[in-house]
C-alpha cells in the first residue's frame, strides 16, 4: 500500500433536500465505490464528504483507518511542512471537498468569517460547531440553479414598486426611503456605496423580522399574483420560481428574502461561483462539486425548519450587491500539467483550496501532473481510467476518491472520452 496515493471511502449524508435514491449522483458514487452500500430508493442522498471533518470523515479504503489519524501520525509527509506551518494544524486538511445532489432548495444562509466564527462558536457551540470561516465554491456538474448574493439595487427597487406584497412586508416608509435613496451606479467602497448597503440592510431586516403570520398572509397573495398575473414581475422566471419553492416551503420568508432580494443564478456544467464569507446564498437544484474551508458553520435565514439566527445574520452580511455575472468564476489554464486531455483551474481568492478539473473530451490518453506542494483529494465523476504514481496504478471509476500526498507526481490515464476528475488541493 502506498502512502503517497491511495483510495478513500467518503461519507454520504441523507439530508432531506437531497435527490431520492439512485437519481442522486451522491448515491451512485457511494454505491459504485463501496459495494457494501445499497441504495435505498426511498431515501434522499444529499452530500458526499471527502476530507477530515469530524461530521463526515473519510477513511483509507483498504484498512478503514481514518484519514485524520493517518495525518496525525505523519503530518509533514501527509500535509507538507509548509502547510502545517501555514495553517498551524497537524491533524486536518484545511479544506472540505463535497459532491451535492440537490432536489429541494437548501436553506438561505451565510457563513461567518474567522473572527465571527470564533465568537459564535464560543457563545453557541451547539449551533456553531467549530471556530472557522467557510468561504465556498460550487462547480456545476449538471445544470444547476441557486441564489447568490443580493440583486442589483434598481431591480429590488423596481420589485418594491411592482409588488404590493413586498412593499407591505418592508413597510411604506422603508420602501420609499430605499427607492428614493439608492445610488445604483455607486463605486464600490464610496460613501454612496456605504449608504446603499445601509438601505439594503434596512430592507433585509424588515423582511427577516416580520412576524410569521404577516409573512404567511402576504406570501399567499404573492403566490396568487405569480399564478394569476405573472407579467407583474420584472423577471420572467420569478413567477414559476416562487410557485415551485412555495410548494417545497409553503408561506416561507424565503419567498421574500430569497426570490425577491437575491440573484437567481443558473449554471451550465463546468461553470462555477465563489461565495465569500458573509454572502447570502442557497442552492436550489442540480448536482455540484463543492469545496470550502473546513467548517460546518451556517447562519440560516429561510427555507428551513432549522435554527434561524436572524439577529446575527442581519448584522453580519456584507450587503454587497450586483449581477449574477459578478459571482461567477473564470476558468484558468493550468501550466503544471501536460499530455492528452485538458486541465482547467478554479482558483478562488482564498488560501485554503483551489479545484482542478481534468477532462479528455478531445482525445484519450495520459495527462501528467507535476508534484503539488500540499495534499489533494481527487474524485472521478464520469468515465473510466487510471490514476498512477511511481509503483502504483489504481482504477479510477465514477465515485472513486483518492488522496494524493504532497510532492507526488501523478498521471491520469483515460479509457474513454467521458473520463472526468475534480481535484481539490492546497498549497502554501
Amino acid at each position: 500500500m502506498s502512502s503517497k496515493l491511495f483510495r478513500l471511502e467518503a461519507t454520504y449524508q441523507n439530508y432531506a433536500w437531497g435527490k431520492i435514491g439512485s437519481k442522486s449522483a451522491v448515491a451512485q458514487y457511494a454505491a459504485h465505490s463501496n459495494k457494501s452500500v445499497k441504495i435505498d430508493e426511498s431515501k434522499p442522498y444529499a452530500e458526499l464528504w471527502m476530507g477530515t471533518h469530524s461530521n463526515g470523515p473519510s477513511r483509507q479504503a483498504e484498512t478503514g483507518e481514518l484519514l485524520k489519524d493517518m495525518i496525525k501520525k505523519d503530518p509533514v509527509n501527509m500535509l507538507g511542512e509548509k502547510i502545517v506551518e501555514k495553517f498551524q494544524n497537524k491533524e486536518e486538511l484545511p479544506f472540505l471537498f463535497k459532491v451535492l445532489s440537490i432536489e429541494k432548495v437548501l436553506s438561505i444562509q451565510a457563513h461567518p468569517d474567522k473572527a465571527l466564527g470564533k465568537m459564535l462558536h464560543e457563545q453557541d457551540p451547539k449551533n456553531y460547531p467549530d471556530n472557522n470561516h467557510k468561504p465556498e465554491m460550487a462547480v456545476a456538474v449538471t445544470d444547476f440553479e441557486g441564489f447568490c448574493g443580493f440583486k442589483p439595487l434598481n431591480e429590488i427597487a423596481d420589485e418594491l414598486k411592482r409588488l404590493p406584497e413586498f412593499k407591505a412586508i418592508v413597510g411604506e416608509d422603508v420602501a420609499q426611503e430605499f427607492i428614493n435613496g439608492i445610488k445604483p451606479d455607486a463605486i464600490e467602497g464610496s460613501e454612496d456605496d456605504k449608504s446603499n448597503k445601509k438601505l439594503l440592510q434596512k430592507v433585509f431586516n424588515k423582511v427577516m423580522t416580520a412576524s410569521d403570520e404577516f409573512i404567511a398572509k402576504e406570501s399567499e397573495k404573492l403566490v396568487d399574483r405569480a399564478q394569476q398575473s405573472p407579467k407583474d414581475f420584472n423577471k420572467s422566471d420569478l413567477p414559476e420560481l416562487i410557485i415551485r419553492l412555495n410548494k417545497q416551503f409553503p408561506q416561507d420568508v424565503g419567498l421574500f428574502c430569497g426570490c425577491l432580494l437575491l440573484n437567481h443564478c443558473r449554471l451550465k456544467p463546468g461553470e462555477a461561483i465563489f461565495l465569500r464569507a458573509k454572502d447570502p446564498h442557497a442552492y436550489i437544484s442540480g448536482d455540484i462539486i463543492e469545496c470550502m474551508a473546513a467548517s460546518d458553520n451556517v447562519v440560516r435565514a429561510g427555507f428551513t425548519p432549522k435554527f434561524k439566527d436572524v439577529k446575527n445574520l442581519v448584522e453580519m452580511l456584507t450587503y454587497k450587491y450586483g449581477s449574477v455575472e459578478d459571482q461567477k468564476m473564470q476558468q484558468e489554464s493550468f501550466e503544471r500539467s501536460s499530455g492528452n486531455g485538458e486541465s482547467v483551474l478554479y482558483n478562488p481568492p482564498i488560501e485554503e483550496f483551489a479545484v482542478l478539473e481534468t477532462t479528455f473530451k478531445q482525445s484519450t490518453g495520459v495527462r501528467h501532473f507535476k508534484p503539488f506542494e500540499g495534499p489533494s483529494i481527487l474524485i472521478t465523476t464520469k468515465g473510466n481510467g487510471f490514476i498512477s504514481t511511481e509503483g502504483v496504478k489504481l482504477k479510477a471509476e465514477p465515485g472513486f476518491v483518492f488522496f494524493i500526498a504532497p510532492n507526488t507526481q501523478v498521471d491520469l490515464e483515460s479509457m474513454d472520452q467521458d473520463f472526468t476528475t475534480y481535484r481539490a488541493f492546497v498549497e502554501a
Side-chain angles (χ1 to χ4, degrees):
M1 185 191 80
S2 170
S3 61
K4 294 290 188 181
L5 171 67
F6 52 85
R7 278 268 313 272
L8 289 173
E9 289 297 348
T11 301
Y12 61 87
Q13 311 281 11
N14 300 102
Y15 302 143
W17 48 261
K19 290 187 177 180
I20 305 298
S22 53
K23 293 179 182 178
S24 168
V26 169
Q28 294 169 26
Y29 294 160
H32 188 72
S33 64
N34 184 347
K35 299 307 178 187
S36 70
V37 173
K38 304 301 180 188
I39 299 174
D40 184 334
E41 297 296 345
S42 67
K43 282 188 176 180
Y45 291 79
E47 296 189 356
L48 191 74
W49 287 32
M50 300 167 280
T52 53
H53 198 286
S54 57
N55 287 355
S58 297
R59 297 176 179 272
Q60 213 278 5
E62 287 184 28
T63 66
E65 186 176 9
L66 286 171
L67 177 59
K68 183 174 181 176
D69 290 343
M70 297 176 71
I71 292 172
K72 194 173 180 179
K73 288 177 186 175
D74 193 2
V76 171
N77 284 322
M78 294 290 283
L79 297 178
E81 190 171 354
K82 289 183 179 179
I83 300 302
V84 171
E85 185 178 332
K86 183 172 187 174
F87 294 100
Q88 294 294 300
N89 195 323
K90 296 182 178 180
E91 298 182 13
E92 299 191 40
L93 297 169
F95 62 82
L96 177 58
F97 202 27
K98 294 183 180 181
V99 178
L100 273 65
S101 290
I102 306 149
E103 182 71 25
K104 298 197 302 183
V105 64
L106 279 70
S107 57
I108 296 171
Q109 59 190 254
H111 307 297
D113 61 14
K114 286 185 177 180
L116 182 59
K118 183 178 179 181
M119 185 187 79
L120 293 176
H121 177 63
E122 289 173 354
Q123 292 176 349
D124 186 1
K126 178 184 175 184
N127 288 302
Y128 302 103
D130 55 72
N131 62 4
N132 203 7
H133 68 161
K134 193 184 173 187
E136 61 190 30
M137 181 182 71
V139 183
V141 175
T142 60
D143 286 348
F144 163 84
E145 62 175 328
F147 292 123
C148 58
F150 286 105
K151 295 178 181 182
L153 300 185
N154 53 353
E155 287 187 25
I156 296 172
D158 186 44
E159 288 173 337
L160 284 167
K161 295 173 188 175
R162 287 169 171 263
L163 306 173
E165 301 81 13
F166 190 22
K167 181 178 275 191
I169 294 291
V170 172
E172 182 71 31
D173 291 347
V174 171
Q176 286 305 320
E177 184 183 5
F178 182 86
I179 291 166
N180 298 330
I182 58 168
K183 307 286 194 303
D185 298 324
I187 297 170
E188 187 171 357
S190 67
E191 290 304 312
D192 282 345
D193 178 54
K194 292 175 184 175
S195 173
N196 283 344
K197 288 176 178 177
K198 287 179 181 176
L199 290 169
L200 180 56
Q201 185 177 29
K202 281 189 177 183
V203 170
F204 187 74
N205 181 58
K206 291 289 284 188
V207 170
M208 292 309 303
T209 56
S211 71
D212 291 345
E213 294 76 18
F214 196 22
I215 290 290
K217 174 186 167 188
E218 295 302 325
S219 63
E220 194 172 328
K221 296 178 187 175
L222 184 71
V223 172
D224 185 63
R225 184 178 299 278
Q227 292 169 330
Q228 304 301 326
S229 304
K231 290 185 178 179
D232 290 353
F233 295 81
N234 60 12
K235 290 288 182 73
S236 59
D237 60 348
L238 262 180
E240 184 276 333
L241 181 66
I242 288 168
I243 293 166
R244 173 161 41 111
L245 297 189
N246 184 65
K247 289 177 181 176
Q248 295 178 14
F249 286 91
Q251 301 179 343
D252 192 271
V253 67
L255 298 175
F256 294 94
C257 70
C259 298
L260 301 186
L261 284 172
L262 304 184
N263 286 304
H264 183 208
C265 172
R266 293 183 183 273
L267 300 180
K268 293 292 184 185
E271 290 187 311
I273 52 173
F274 175 64
L275 301 156
R276 292 172 177 81
K278 300 185 175 182
D279 280 349
H281 60 278
Y283 301 148
I284 298 173
S285 68
D287 299 285
I288 60 171
I289 293 289
E290 186 183 48
C291 199
M292 63 196 66
S295 171
D296 202 24
N297 282 329
V298 180
V299 187
R300 295 179 180 85
F303 294 136
T304 179
K306 295 181 180 179
F307 171 67
K308 298 176 191 174
D309 192 347
V310 172
K311 180 179 181 295
N312 274 314
L313 186 73
V314 171
E315 290 177 357
M316 70 180 265
L317 297 182
T318 63
Y319 294 97
K320 183 178 171 64
Y321 50 89
S323 72
V324 169
E325 296 305 314
D326 294 340
Q327 305 267 336
K328 289 184 180 179
M329 296 187 67
Q330 298 301 312
Q331 296 179 344
E332 301 175 19
S333 60
F334 189 70
E335 305 299 331
R336 288 180 285 161
S337 62
S338 58
N340 301 102
E342 180 185 17
S343 293
V344 294
L345 180 67
Y346 302 92
N347 191 20
I350 55 166
E351 299 178 328
E352 284 87 351
F353 62 84
V355 173
L356 191 63
E357 177 197 65
T358 300
T359 55
F360 293 83
K361 296 173 185 174
Q362 306 303 322
S363 63
T364 58
V366 177
R367 189 159 190 86
H368 176 73
F369 297 85
K370 294 179 180 179
F372 293 5
E373 63 182 8
S376 50
I377 289 181
L378 179 145
I379 182 171
T380 303
T381 57
K382 282 198 303 184
N384 294 276
F386 295 90
I387 183 170
S388 60
T389 189
E390 187 176 348
V392 181
K393 185 173 184 179
L394 303 173
K395 279 187 176 181
E397 300 177 6
F400 283 28
V401 180
F402 304 89
F403 178 84
I404 305 167
N407 306 310
T408 304
Q409 63 179 20
V410 295
D411 291 332
L412 288 174
E413 181 182 354
S414 67
M415 304 307 293
D416 55 56
Q417 289 183 309
D418 288 333
F419 188 48
T420 302
T421 67
Y422 289 91
R423 181 178 179 179
F425 66 95
V426 59
E427 294 190 292

